[in-house]
């Protein structure tokens, strides 16, 4: 496991808990066992609501949904997951994560542990890439699929984006994190607590984030799960219009929409009202 100093990890968990205070009052933390370790899932919303599983982008944890859960939990039982192998309160102390197949086995175990035979599934960025692959892996378990600016799915990451991200990936510090995110989003986060959380992630421990290959075009064309693709018009991770064109070609039945003012990293958190409206309409 990647090492983090004890003080830095404590600061991260304090910032994590501060973000959790922005969630609905009925939120409950659940630790779900799997062959790879325990997975932290935050659940809220009516017990009788249709299940909705949320997968975050890399390095953001389930806390990234703080601006969305109140709206989504009006009609759904929301389950927000900390990804196995990434930072957060999931504990990777079991079998190693070797590749995409392990992620599918892990998510199978999470859904089974939650008692979900079928669910709506929504992911952002890397979480969207996992969500799509899971829909291809187990289409009968996914009733609806929402992808928020998915990476390495319909196109690769921009070389310029990767070059800008490299210093933060190699030696993360709050200053480098802020510089990179400000370049991509164009401004600091509106919520100071979210800025504090993002700063804290640079000292958090992770074990292994599994690199994912793009799905084969023939597999995407065979996908029968109703799908919504919401792209950030100002994303610097990739060209949203090219991604939209490829998504429409490979998933002709999907609803593909570009949010013109959104950026890749801010799409779930900044001015989320329109995103929440589109998700709520699709996920009914």
């Amino acid at each position: 496991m990647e090492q983090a100093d004890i003080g830095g990890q404590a600061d991260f968990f304090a910032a994590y808990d501060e973000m959790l205070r922005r969630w609905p009052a009925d939120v409950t933390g659940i630790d779900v066992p799997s062959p790879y370790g325990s997975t932290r899932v935050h659940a809220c919303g009516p017990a009788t609501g249709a299940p909705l599983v949320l997968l975050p982008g890399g390095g953001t944890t389930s806390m990234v949904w703080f601006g969305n859960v109140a709206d989504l939990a009006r009609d759904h039982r929301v389950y927000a997951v900390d990804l196995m192998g990434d930072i957060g309160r999931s504990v990777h102390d079991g079998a190693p994560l070797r590749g995409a197949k392990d992620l599918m086995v892990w998510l199978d175990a999470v859904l089974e542990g939650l008692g979900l035979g079928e669910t709506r599934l929504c992911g952002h960025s890397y979480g969207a890439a996992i969500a799509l692959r899971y829909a291809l892996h187990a289409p009968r378990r996914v009733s609806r699929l929402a992808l928020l600016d998915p990476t390495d799915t319909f196109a690769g990451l921009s070389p310029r984006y990767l070059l800008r991200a490299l210093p933060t990936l190699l030696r993360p510090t709050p200053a480098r994190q802020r510089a990179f995110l400000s370049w991509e989003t164009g401004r600091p986060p509106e919520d100071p607590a979210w800025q504090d959380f993002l700063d804290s992630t640079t000292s958090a421990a992770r074990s292994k984030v599994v690199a994912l290959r793009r799905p084969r075009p023939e597999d995407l064309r065979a996908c029968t799960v109703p799908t919504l693709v919401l792209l950030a018009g100002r994303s610097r991770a990739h060209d949203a219009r090219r991604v939209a064109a490829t998504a429409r070609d490979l998933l002709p039945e999907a609803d593909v929409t570009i949010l013109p003012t959104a950026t890749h990293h801010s799409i779930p958190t900044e001015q989320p009202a329109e995103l929440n409206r589109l998700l709520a309409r699709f996920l009914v």
Side-chain angles (χ1 to χ4, degrees):
M1 175 175 288
E2 177 184 301
Q3 297 298 312
D5 68 272
I6 294 175
Q9 189 76 337
D11 290 343
F12 165 68
F13 285 132
Y16 181 110
D17 292 341
E18 178 59 34
M19 291 310 306
L20 192 57
R21 295 186 182 97
R22 283 157 168 72
W23 285 49
D26 68 337
V27 64
T28 301
I30 306 168
D31 291 314
V32 182
S34 81
Y36 307 93
S38 64
T39 300
R40 174 60 59 89
V41 180
H42 292 286
C44 60
T48 57
L52 168 61
V53 172
L54 303 177
L55 302 181
T60 61
T61 80
S62 55
M63 294 303 99
V64 76
W65 306 108
F66 71 93
N68 317 110
V69 288
D71 286 346
L72 296 177
R74 289 194 181 100
D75 299 311
H76 297 88
R77 181 66 173 170
V78 173
Y79 299 95
V81 178
D82 281 358
L83 300 178
M84 183 60 64
D86 203 356
I87 65 172
R89 290 194 178 274
S90 291
V91 180
H92 184 197
D93 59 0
L97 288 167
R98 296 186 178 91
K101 289 184 179 179
D102 288 310
L103 286 178
M104 300 302 100
V105 174
W106 163 71
L107 197 47
D108 277 334
V110 171
L111 297 189
E112 289 163 10
L114 293 171
L116 304 179
E118 184 182 76
T119 185
R120 291 150 175 80
L121 187 58
C122 173
H124 169 233
S125 187
Y126 177 64
I130 296 173
L132 175 58
R133 282 157 184 79
Y134 191 78
L136 299 176
H137 161 75
R140 293 183 180 180
R141 301 193 76 162
V142 182
S143 58
R144 286 184 173 264
L145 176 67
L147 308 175
L148 309 185
D149 217 46
T151 52
D152 290 321
T153 298
F154 304 110
L157 291 169
S158 157
R160 187 181 180 200
Y161 176 88
L162 290 171
L163 186 63
R164 285 277 188 163
L166 194 58
T168 301
L169 295 173
L170 293 177
R171 190 179 177 186
T173 66
R176 288 181 174 186
Q177 176 97 305
R178 288 191 181 207
F180 170 63
L181 293 178
S182 292
W183 169 78
E184 203 282 321
T185 63
R187 61 180 181 179
E190 295 175 346
D191 190 323
W194 184 240
Q195 179 67 78
D196 291 342
F197 175 81
L198 293 173
D199 288 348
S200 78
T201 64
T202 62
S203 62
R206 56 171 54 84
S207 58
K208 181 178 181 179
V209 177
V210 176
L212 297 174
R213 295 182 179 179
R214 276 183 269 172
R216 297 182 304 175
E218 57 267 32
D219 292 336
L220 290 173
R221 290 194 173 100
C223 181
T224 58
V225 177
T227 301
L228 172 68
V229 182
L230 293 177
L231 298 170
R234 292 174 51 222
S235 175
R236 303 184 87 163
H238 44 219
D239 185 316
R241 286 162 184 79
R242 290 183 180 178
V243 173
T246 302
R248 291 183 179 115
D249 176 52
L250 297 177
L251 294 174
E253 300 301 318
D255 180 354
V256 181
T257 299
I258 296 176
L259 302 178
T261 63
T263 70
H264 178 72
H265 288 276
S266 70
I267 189 172
T269 59
E270 301 297 302
Q271 300 178 348
E274 177 63 6
L275 171 65
N276 294 347
R277 185 187 70 80
L278 293 171
L279 287 175
R281 184 177 69 183
F282 171 74
L283 294 168
V284 293

